[in-house]
Amino acid sequence: MAKESASAAVTSADVARLAGVSRATVSFVLNDTQAHRVSDTTRARVLAAADQLGYVPHAAARSLRAGRSNLVLMPTSVSAVGRLVSAWLDDLHSELERHGYTTVLHAGRFSDAVGAARAWAELRPAAVVALDGGSLTAEAAGVLRRAGVRAVVGFAARPVEGVYTVAFDHARIGALAAEHLISRGRRRIGVVMPKERGLDTFARPRLAGAESVAARSTSTVNAVEMAYTRQSAAELAARWSELGLDGVFAYNDEYAALLVRALQDEGISVPEDVAVVGCDDLVLAALERPALTTVRLDLPAPARIADALHTLVDTGKAPGMPGMEPVLIHRQSS
Amino acid sequence: MAKESASAAVTSADVARLAGVSRATVSFVLNDTQAHRVSDTTRARVLAAADQLGYVPHAAARSLRAGRSNLVLMPTSVSAVGRLVSAWLDDLHSELERHGYTTVLHAGRFSDAVGAARAWAELRPAAVVALDGGSLTAEAAGVLRRAGVRAVVGFAARPVEGVYTVAFDHARIGALAAEHLISRGRRRIGVVMPKERGLDTFARPRLAGAESVAARSTSTVNAVEMAYTRQSAAELAARWSELGLDGVFAYNDEYAALLVRALQDEGISVPEDVAVVGCDDLVLAALERPALTTVRLDLPAPARIADALHTLVDTGKAPGMPGMEPVLIHRQSS
DNA sequence: CACAGCGTGTAACGCGTGTAACCTTGTTCG
DNA sequence: CGAACAAGGTTACACGCGTTACACGCTGTG
């Protein structure tokens, strides 16, 4: 309470001193070491001392000694994850906590895969889970493994060497949207590419998926850039007629909603003039006027991911995981 | 490349061995230690060896030795932060990175302030920055300080002992909304309380602010619960007539948009029957029909927060920070 | 009485770093 | 020619912790 001046952190040695025992005994008591018995009286003294000093173990020192940490690192910028994923992330966090892991998000910039991996590796996490599988090259995974990371997990379309890959095919999303638009008779299809950084690793494969579908038909696909601002949407809508698009996959429900509004303000009607498809099936998608056609993503159950991660850390092997299979939800905007 | 079998992490001792020098020399080279000179030839050998082995320093061991870490911990669940804050978080992250800090988000549950603080303290961060000032009691701050955390920063209405508080008055937000609704002639005002966990620390003071304003007038304030789902909004709208509310502060632009849609579906018109006020001034707020009246929050500049944090970690003192001053944006929904 | 057995406690080591202190060698200067 | 010095390298220690091996005192038994 009154030891305000003591700026140095409390260590187990302080607890030992106060309790009048050795540091080893303190360790045995606080960790409930079964292999070693301590008398009830000294145990009580140690616990009292620890409580009085407000002792908290030093995670770094502990995992340094143990040779392994209980940290799970999830590299992702906060603003890059939408409502859908953020709720999923929270659940996954809870599940991992039940397994004794400390989950932590790190919003690194993804410009350089190996550089990013190096930064993550410094923390020596037990596992690295990248939602953005694109940031995990085989080389980056190598950096992590060499730094002792037990489990390197990535959400990606195709397996990467050294990465435990959970199937997550963004190209399939784009393909699904394009197939739907074509089946609705649209021939000149736009795909919105967000200008916001961090989203291109998701957006690019979606575009590619749409393009590959169009290549097998008489329809065409064009990328159109747009930032998530009112102005950018308005600018895009203003030059819509010269683009001559009659269908658009808007990356996201939020981008879709923004674009629809801008188009309507320009006198372009949805779905008559332009059919619009979003993604994520957010709450707002069903509420839009017209209600948004969207691609729903059923994310893998957090509990199963957590289990797989745990056995992966423990044994080095893990069972195959069910991936994500996108489903198109047809509503009024297309 | 081929050393797949070597599961042990590579250490600076490995680099030293390969380069044929002592471990100390490796450290001098890799850290560019000015106090000690190293010949160019050995420097080159060391760098080559480090590169070949893919050596990455062990952050925990380093900060253990140094006695301080460069970790900044921000406790917050991902889904609790809206678009507004998440963009701000990313900026703050960048700024802190420029100062050499590694920023990390931890989505702990806030049921027990001291327990949470203890968990954070285990990581021995240089600083803890809590957007949710409510989770930082004086006692929790004590736990952190005793564990050696140099800077404990909280965003809160009133200063907490041992916490460097950045003024962030959620009550003021609720008050502003209530004042506006009253000035628009509304007398029975509802305040939406999200059912989602983690949001109540923000929602409660907003409600309290609205209540204190109403207490000084002839208007009344009632809390109404609502989850961020279509169904919950519909249920609330269904019993709206019996609530008899003619104005509502909907916590958030997103909740507001959802509620407005549900009310309209119920045949209740906005703003004629009910005036609605949101918060955050998101992009979607201006797009809604009717356009949403909202409370804009000017968050403190990330660069200034980062600077203050840095001097706080270094010197223990920091200049006063400009806080957040909410501003009401009047649009058509009220 | 010696010795094994058991219950409790402690000394000591190493995890991977950074750095102060200390050597060794060659060069310069009084 | 001895001393002083600079350059370039190494040895040794400490950071906080968990754990292995060992020491000590006591009891029961041959």
Side-chain angles (χ1 to χ4, degrees):
Chain A
M1 287 290 163
K3 297 190 62 169
E4 194 65 32
S5 62
S7 86
V10 176
T11 76
S12 77
D14 297 327
V15 177
R17 198 159 20 244
L18 178 60
V21 298
S22 80
R23 218 174 42 67
T25 305
V26 171
S27 177
F28 291 141
V29 170
L30 296 184
N31 295 323
D32 251 352
T33 308
Q34 299 300 334
H36 206 91
R37 302 195 50 80
V38 313
S39 73
D40 287 349
T41 61
T42 51
R43 153 169 280 116
R45 276 221 314 284
V46 168
L47 289 175
D51 191 52
Q52 179 182 337
L53 293 177
Y55 170 70
V56 173
H58 192 305
R62 182 192 295 236
S63 52
L64 181 59
R65 156 73 217 204
R68 61 213 178 89
S69 78
N70 69 143
L71 203 68
V72 173
L73 181 67
M74 309 190 57
T76 184
S77 106
V78 198
S79 57
V81 306
R83 284 223 150 272
L84 178 73
V85 174
S86 66
W88 183 84
L89 273 186
D90 279 349
D91 290 343
L92 180 57
H93 173 94
S94 299
E95 289 297 332
L96 286 171
E97 199 166 41
R98 293 196 317 115
H99 284 283
Y101 294 101
T102 300
T103 310
V104 138
L105 294 194
H106 181 258
R109 297 294 179 202
F110 302 129
S111 55
D112 167 25
V114 175
R118 201 135 35 202
W120 307 334
E122 286 194 9
L123 297 177
R124 293 293 192 278
V128 169
V129 181
L131 281 79
D132 172 12
S135 63
L136 272 184
T137 62
E139 196 185 355
V143 169
L144 291 172
R145 299 213 87 95
R146 251 170 318 206
V149 177
R150 310 284 299 259
V152 181
V153 179
F155 289 64
R158 277 177 306 280
V160 177
E161 188 186 336
V163 178
Y164 181 80
T165 305
V166 178
F168 207 102
D169 192 353
H170 285 273
R172 185 86 192 87
I173 297 171
L176 212 56
E179 281 169 5
H180 170 76
L181 286 170
I182 292 172
S183 79
R184 302 293 294 170
R186 310 298 165 146
R187 291 292 171 263
R188 294 184 51 82
I189 297 170
V191 172
V192 170
M193 304 294 283
K195 283 185 184 167
E196 277 70 27
R197 67 188 307 173
L199 297 185
D200 46 338
T201 49
F202 304 131
R204 256 199 302 265
R206 292 184 186 187
L207 171 62
E211 281 171 339
S212 73
V213 165
R216 293 195 301 271
S217 77
T218 60
S219 297
T220 62
V221 159
N222 291 302
V224 290
E225 285 204 338
M226 179 181 126
Y228 190 69
T229 64
R230 217 180 156 188
Q231 186 187 348
S232 179
E235 286 172 6
L236 178 57
R239 59 191 186 87
W240 198 259
S241 59
E242 71 190 62
L243 290 171
L245 303 173
D246 58 2
V248 61
F249 173 47
Y251 175 72
N252 209 346
D253 287 340
E254 290 180 309
Y255 283 82
L258 178 56
L259 178 57
V260 165
R261 221 46 78 86
L263 289 172
Q264 290 172 339
D265 288 347
E266 200 70 24
I268 302 168
S269 62
V270 176
E272 290 77 10
D273 299 331
V274 186
V276 178
V277 177
C279 183
D280 285 2
D281 194 20
L282 297 185
V283 170
L284 80 84
L287 298 176
E288 288 297 303
R289 307 284 162 81
L292 269 180
T293 294
T294 188
V295 179
R296 173 156 56 83
L297 310 179
D298 289 321
L299 301 176
R304 294 201 51 181
I305 296 280
D307 285 347
L309 199 71
H310 184 57
T311 67
L312 194 57
V313 168
D314 258 17
T315 69
K317 307 273 177 196
M321 279 297 304
M324 179 271 312
E325 186 65 20
V327 180
L328 192 123
I329 312 282
H330 184 201
R331 297 203 184 94
Q332 304 153 13
S333 70
S334 68
Chain B
M1 286 296 161
K3 295 190 65 170
E4 192 64 30
S5 62
S7 86
V10 39
T11 76
S12 75
D14 297 328
V15 177
R17 198 159 21 245
L18 179 59
V21 297
S22 79
R23 217 177 42 68
T25 304
V26 171
S27 177
F28 292 141
V29 169
L30 296 184
N31 296 324
D32 251 351
T33 307
Q34 299 301 334
H36 208 90
R37 299 196 50 79
V38 173
S39 75
D40 287 348
T41 62
T42 52
R43 154 169 280 117
R45 274 220 314 283
V46 169
L47 289 175
D51 190 53
Q52 179 182 338
L53 293 177
Y55 169 71
V56 172
H58 192 305
R62 175 186 297 216
S63 50
L64 180 59
R65 155 72 217 208
R68 62 214 181 89
S69 77
N70 68 144
L71 203 68
V72 174
L73 181 66
M74 310 192 55
T76 185
S77 100
V78 197
S79 58
V81 306
R83 284 222 152 269
L84 179 72
V85 175
S86 67
W88 183 84
L89 273 186
D90 280 349
D91 290 344
L92 180 58
H93 173 95
S94 299
E95 290 296 331
L96 286 171
E97 200 167 40
R98 292 197 317 115
H99 284 282
Y101 293 101
T102 300
T103 310
V104 139
L105 295 194
H106 181 260
R109 294 297 178 201
F110 302 128
S111 54
D112 167 26
V114 176
R118 200 134 36 201
W120 307 335
E122 285 193 12
L123 295 177
R124 295 290 193 280
V128 170
V129 182
L131 282 77
D132 172 11
S135 63
L136 272 184
T137 63
E139 196 184 356
V143 169
L144 291 173
R145 299 213 86 96
R146 250 170 320 203
V149 177
R150 308 285 298 258
V152 181
V153 179
F155 289 65
R158 278 176 306 281
V160 177
E161 189 186 335
V163 178
Y164 180 80
T165 305
V166 178
F168 207 102
D169 192 353
H170 285 274
R172 184 88 193 85
I173 297 171
L176 210 57
E179 282 168 4
H180 171 76
L181 286 169
I182 291 172
S183 79
R184 303 292 296 170
R186 310 299 165 145
R187 290 292 170 265
R188 294 185 49 81
I189 296 169
V191 172
V192 170
M193 303 294 284
K195 283 184 184 167
E196 277 70 26
R197 68 187 309 174
L199 297 185
D200 45 339
T201 48
F202 304 131
R204 257 199 302 266
R206 292 184 186 187
L207 172 62
E211 281 170 340
S212 74
V213 164
R216 295 194 301 269
S217 76
T218 61
S219 298
T220 63
V221 159
N222 291 302
V224 291
E225 285 203 338
M226 178 180 127
Y228 190 70
T229 65
R230 217 180 155 186
Q231 186 187 348
S232 179
E235 287 172 6
L236 178 57
R239 59 191 186 86
W240 198 261
S241 59
E242 71 189 60
L243 291 171
L245 302 173
D246 59 2
V248 61
F249 172 48
Y251 176 72
N252 211 346
D253 289 339
E254 289 180 311
Y255 283 82
L258 178 56
L259 179 57
V260 165
R261 223 43 82 81
L263 289 171
Q264 290 171 340
D265 287 347
E266 200 69 25
I268 302 168
S269 63
V270 176
E272 290 76 11
D273 300 330
V274 187
V276 178
V277 177
C279 183
D280 284 5
D281 193 22
L282 297 185
V283 169
L284 78 85
L287 297 176
E288 288 298 303
R289 306 284 163 80
L292 269 180
T293 294
T294 190
V295 179
R296 173 158 53 85
L297 310 179
D298 289 322
L299 301 176
R304 293 201 51 179
I305 297 279
D307 285 347
L309 199 73
H310 184 56
T311 67
L312 193 58
V313 168
D314 257 18
T315 68
K317 307 274 177 197
M321 278 298 305
M324 180 271 312
E325 187 64 21
V327 180
L328 193 123
I329 311 283
H330 183 199
R331 297 205 184 94
Q332 304 153 16
S333 69
S334 68

